Amino acid sequence: MSGRQDTSVPELRVYAPEHARLAATLLLAVMLMSGPWLFALPDWMSRGFVMVGLTLAAVAGLMVVQSRMRLNARAMAAELLTGFIEKDATPSFVTDDDGVIHACNGAAVKRFQDGSRDTLPGTLRSILANPSAVLYRLQSRARVDGAAREDIVTRRGHVRLAVHQMTGGSFLWRVEDILERGGNGRGAESIPVPMITVGRTGAVLFMNEAARSLIGERVKSTDRLFPALPVLPGRINTLSTKNGPVQVLVSENNRNQGRSELFMMEVDESGLDAAQAGLEALPVPFLKVAPTGEILTTNRMALRLLGVESCANLKLGQLMEGLGRPMSDWLRDTADGLAPNKSEFLRLSRSDKEVFVQVTLTRVVEEGTPVLIAVLNDATELKTLEAQFVQSQKMQAIGQLAGGVAHDFNNLLTAISGHCDLLLLRHDQGDQDYGDLIQIHENANRAASLVSQLLAFSRKQTLQPEILDVRDTLSDLTHLLNRLVGEKVTLTLSHDPVMKSIRADKRQLEQVLMNLVVNARDAMPQGGEIRVETEVLSLDKPLERDRATMPAGDWVTVKVSDEGVGIAPDKLQKVFEPFYTTKRTGEGTGLGLSTAYGIIKQTGGYIFVDSVQGHGTQFTLFFPVFKQQADALAVEKPAVAEDKTAANQHGEGVVLLVEDEAPVRAFASRALRMRGYTVLEAESAEDALRTLEDPGLTVDVFVTDVVMPGMDGPSWVREALKERPDTRVVFVSGYAEGAFGEAQPEVPNSVFLPKPFSLNQLTETVHAQLH
């Protein structure tokens, strides 16, 4: 290499003795010793000059001896360093502070024989894009720590660059190529194809789990494995195993330093020619792919997994998708040995069903040409579980959002509908504004219904459960359902003769059944039959289905079946998502099935769907059978008769109204005063407690919101009841009755009124508490 030393001896900076200091010391010693002869001095002074001169002469002699020893030690260190660098198999350079090469070993000359630079940055420019920055960074760290190293990914592979600071200011650099572990690492253990790594002498360096299972034991050389050597890549070879000889198709992947990887695929040659025996008998889906993406060979298991009859004239990118980058880049990088040997999860381009595969690409060389071996594993179950987990998290987040939005909307709707009720009291039907007020009132009720659906989905609605016979509920609905389905569709009801009761909210159950029947009608535009069947089912053991586990026991089932177009398999798992609909814009909101799902789950039941495209869909509802208890009916029957008779008889009383929403508080206060009540207002729980500090104040009813800033409703009411235990309580909230304070004890003499409420509902509830 031009401009460099022919020897690899580093130019160590060994400093000679300081001649000026030595000469000055000797001159001073001579002058002191010759002074008594040149000048007439007293005797004692002459002896002193002579002694000092002799001392300086001795010091100069010690300086000469010390310098000689230092030169010998450094010469020995230089000789040792020279031998180490010269015999090192790693390219090594000795440079000065500016990067100029003073020496290099034979490995460096051989490794960078095409270089013609006298500096290290110029020499390393063949492997590094910006060597100056890397060298400066490492050299700066070496000045502080004495040594530094860094692993760098280059276009030729991984390189480790190390530097050591030498005495005298020189730097020793080593440039080491790091071999990729490839199949020798953990990635090879996950490959289902048997693989071994063979050294230059035929020693077996590594065997993956599949190879150990095939061979039955660990072996150390290829002559123990293959009776006929050398191994012929791309052909069928005989492999000696613990259970006897086995025919395997061998593919070779060449590696650095004489190592190679042999992939062995067991074949069954009966009925197959030698070229096809290996591929067809593989126990895993297998593809042989060109670096450009064309599929060269495949086996029957791969065709079955891909859902095609032939892969002729097809590319890998046409069969699967979801890589996140161009498929051609992945294949090209793997063929060039640049991509890490890791698996990718892809989605097959199948129209009949959703299938995910785990694809492992391996580079092999056949007759000097690189090809890619793709091993496929069906990962549909794994990806399905992952999607189900993500879906459950998403549904939970949407439910929380729906509950929060519904609470705020209920406050707004209470104020809107309440003030509308106040206006209607001052206008009769002949008034020109009466129609507009009715429109406002009806649309507010429609909005309240939509909010109720959101609460049903989030399972935070207020239910009014009662003991029901499903047959009676369906009988009451029959007339309405017949009107809903129209003339083209026939509605058929079938009941179990021995029916058991359930405990559910009748109004919500009717809504679920109407939603299912309307969806069945829309799925049959040309007409057909809708069957509604009820049955009592006894489970001896828990039933597991669709990620749900139903406990053993007695269940009442309601099945709603149609003969419609059905639901595609990829859409079946999304039907219960809110706002998901297959109908056109304006035909549906996508809340029907999500609302039904929320109602059923809040009731303690289950809902499942089965569908076959072109044949119809069936929804199955499961309700737990209600266990009859003593005087359960009496508990469940609400005392409605007394409310009806006393609904319009309001008397006097003092009401403490606690509400943080000013519009709601204004409406409720006016409504109660119009019915003759004395109303004390408070905008917070703390304000209410301060009002009650007056011992002469008499309060008959607390009307309070549940969720408020600071202290909530139940907390301040419990505090107030300690001094006023006989006071009645009316809780109002936009949330469900059971969505708050479930861990706290119940408040005595209290009822719950959900928002939005009307003027009559509020006043009648207060009147019922007073009487």
Side-chain angles (χ1 to χ4, degrees), residues 196 198 202 204 221-239 248-252 260-264:
I196 63 174
V198 181
V204 177
S221 61
T222 53
D223 56 4
R224 292 272 310 275
L225 289 177
F226 299 96
L229 293 175
V231 179
L232 302 177
R235 300 186 183 181
I236 296 178
N237 295 258
T238 301
L239 178 70
V248 293
L249 177 65
V250 178
S251 295
E252 182 179 14
S260 61
E261 294 175 347
L262 299 181
F263 293 85
M264 303 169 295

Side-chain angles (χ1 to χ4, degrees), residues 429-446:
Q429 295 186 6
D431 196 316
Q432 60 179 0
D433 295 332
Y434 185 82
D436 296 336
L437 294 174
I438 291 296
Q439 285 293 325
I440 296 174
H441 194 271
E442 290 181 353
N443 283 279
N445 289 337
R446 289 182 58 191

Side-chain angles (χ1 to χ4, degrees), residues 429-628:
Q429 295 186 6
D431 196 316
Q432 60 179 0
D433 295 332
Y434 185 82
D436 296 336
L437 294 174
I438 291 296
Q439 285 293 325
I440 296 174
H441 194 271
E442 290 181 353
N443 283 279
N445 289 337
R446 289 182 58 191
S449 176
L450 180 61
V451 172
S452 175
Q453 286 184 305
L454 288 175
L455 286 174
F457 164 70
S458 61
R459 305 181 208 172
K460 294 181 179 179
Q461 64 175 343
T462 300
L463 296 181
Q464 298 176 354
E466 55 184 295
I467 300 175
L468 299 175
D469 189 315
V470 178
R471 294 174 299 184
D472 297 339
T473 304
L474 286 171
S475 298
D476 296 340
L477 270 180
T478 302
H479 180 66
L480 178 59
L481 293 178
N482 281 322
R483 291 182 58 189
L484 287 175
V485 299
E487 299 178 354
K488 294 183 179 180
V489 177
T490 303
L491 181 64
T492 304
L493 302 180
S494 176
H495 298 299
D496 191 329
V498 181
M499 183 57 62
K500 295 184 179 180
S501 300
I502 65 172
R503 188 172 184 268
D505 188 317
K506 182 178 180 181
R507 180 176 56 87
Q508 300 291 352
L509 178 58
E510 290 174 349
Q511 181 182 351
V512 171
L513 295 173
M514 284 191 293
N515 280 335
L516 296 179
V517 170
V518 169
N519 285 342
R521 177 204 64 188
D522 294 340
M524 299 185 297
Q526 305 301 323
E529 182 184 15
I530 300 176
R531 293 185 58 83
V532 181
E533 304 173 70
T534 61
E535 183 183 5
V536 177
L537 180 67
S538 296
L539 296 179
D540 298 330
K541 59 181 180 178
L543 174 64
E544 295 184 3
R545 179 179 173 182
D546 297 347
R547 313 188 307 276
T549 302
M550 290 176 49
D554 295 334
W555 298 83
V556 173
T557 66
V558 180
K559 297 180 181 178
V560 181
S561 310
D562 63 65
E563 301 172 342
V565 295
I567 305 173
D570 58 333
K571 298 178 180 178
L572 197 61
Q573 57 186 354
K574 302 178 182 180
V575 295
F576 295 116
E577 292 186 15
F579 307 108
Y580 177 81
T581 179
T582 57
K583 300 178 182 179
R584 292 177 295 181
T585 303
E587 294 183 355
T589 62
L591 282 173
L593 289 178
S594 61
T595 301
Y597 177 85
I599 293 172
I600 299 300
K601 297 300 290 184
Q602 194 173 2
T603 307
Y606 297 85
I607 179 171
F608 302 110
V609 57
D610 299 283
S611 183
V612 179
Q613 279 192 288
H615 292 82
T617 303
Q618 181 182 82
F619 284 88
T620 306
L621 314 180
F622 288 83
F623 297 96
V625 171
F626 178 71
K627 304 296 183 182
Q628 290 286 350

Side-chain angles (χ1 to χ4, degrees), residues 271-294:
L272 299 172
D273 54 44
Q276 297 179 348
L279 296 178
E280 292 297 337
L282 279 178
V284 293
F286 170 92
L287 297 174
K288 185 183 293 184
V289 186
T292 56
E294 287 83 4

